[in-house]
Amino acid sequence: MTEPLPGFGGTERLRSRPAPGAVHVPGWLSPQRQRELVTACRGWARGPVPIRHTRLPGGGVMSVQTVCLGWHWQPYAYKRTADDVNGARVAELPGWLADLGRAALVDAYEDAAAGDGYAPDTALVNFYDGQARMGMHQDKDERSGAPVVSLSIGDTCVFRFGNTESRNRPYTDIELASGDLFVFGGPSRFAYHGVTKVRPGTGDPATGLASGRLNITLRVTGLE
């Protein structure tokens, strides 16, 4: 049985399945693994393609800062080179991070075979300060229906997980805290989702992240 964890406002935090194929596992990352990931993210943020605020085609700028591994994402396509930043090829996605993604699927779906054949080839690393948000969207630029593995470190956020038809209700608001795992695949792979709020000061500086939230999402692009 999942051990209850303390939550925001004193509520217990238990494993949940907000929709078919979607699983939230609180506290999945150990404190040590969180520190290791923060250190790795700092290295990736320096380049070869540095972290940046992504500019949207209409001229707007995303409030989150993003750095990519394996493939570079820019609205709304993946490329090997960051033509919208400095033209460089992004850093490779390390094998140990792909291994972590496979382990995440095994634990989330409670199935020893869930990670078989899962070969994520890109990761988007997003940094949220206290004011950053992410509007409701689908992760649909990939040509694969393989699950998305999402890891959270730092400040707690309110993650809105919706349906596959529209940005509107029904949706579920879930608090993702430092160390939490969220996986969505199968019928929920193309569900709309976003971040409506970050709660400043709720993270643990012992992770190496003094403020803000890091979110690492592993994906399979289906590209060659």
Side-chain angles (χ1 to χ4, degrees):
M1 180 179 295
T2 303
E3 183 71 19
L5 296 172
F8 188 81
T11 58
E12 289 185 348
R13 304 180 63 243
L14 298 170
R15 173 191 292 263
S16 66
R17 293 178 176 262
V23 186
H24 173 214
V25 185
W28 186 73
L29 292 169
S30 69
Q32 176 62 30
R33 181 50 63 92
Q34 291 180 63
R35 289 190 291 271
E36 292 168 354
L37 284 168
V38 169
T39 299
C41 287
R42 285 207 170 96
W44 297 327
R46 290 192 290 268
V49 178
I51 196 167
R52 87 291 183 199
H53 292 279
T54 301
R55 186 169 295 278
L56 300 170
V61 177
M62 293 177 67
S63 60
V64 302
Q65 298 179 64
T66 304
V67 65
C68 304
L69 305 175
W71 288 85
H72 178 76
W73 180 83
Q74 62 186 81
Y76 293 96
Y78 285 101
K79 296 184 178 181
R80 286 296 191 186
T81 55
D83 300 333
D84 61 332
V85 184
N86 61 1
R89 185 176 174 117
V90 298
E92 293 298 322
L93 189 150
W96 61 262
L97 189 56
D99 289 342
L100 188 64
R102 285 185 280 273
L105 293 184
V106 169
D107 286 355
Y109 291 135
E110 299 178 292
D111 178 356
D116 293 355
Y118 185 65
D121 59 346
T122 191
L124 271 63
V125 180
N126 289 325
F127 176 74
Y128 294 73
D129 64 19
Q131 303 304 312
R133 306 288 185 268
M134 180 75 74
M136 294 290 280
H137 66 283
Q138 293 172 298
D139 290 346
K140 62 179 182 179
D141 296 324
E142 300 80 23
R143 297 179 185 174
S144 168
V148 173
V149 172
S150 173
L151 305 170
S152 296
I153 304 171
D155 287 339
T156 296
C157 80
V158 178
F159 177 66
R160 179 162 291 174
F161 192 74
N163 62 84
T164 59
E165 301 300 322
S166 77
R167 295 175 173 83
N168 303 320
R169 294 181 184 274
Y171 53 70
T172 303
D173 284 347
I174 302 161
E175 299 226 338
L176 297 182
S178 196
D180 284 9
L181 164 67
F182 194 91
V183 169
F184 55 103
S188 292
R189 170 59 181 81
F190 297 102
Y192 283 89
H193 57 282
V195 172
T196 65
K197 183 183 296 185
V198 175
R199 302 192 188 281
T202 53
D204 183 353
T207 62
L209 191 64
S211 63
R213 172 181 182 254
L214 278 172
N215 178 227
I216 304 168
T217 59
L218 295 169
R219 305 138 184 249
V220 178
T221 65
L223 301 170
E224 296 182 356

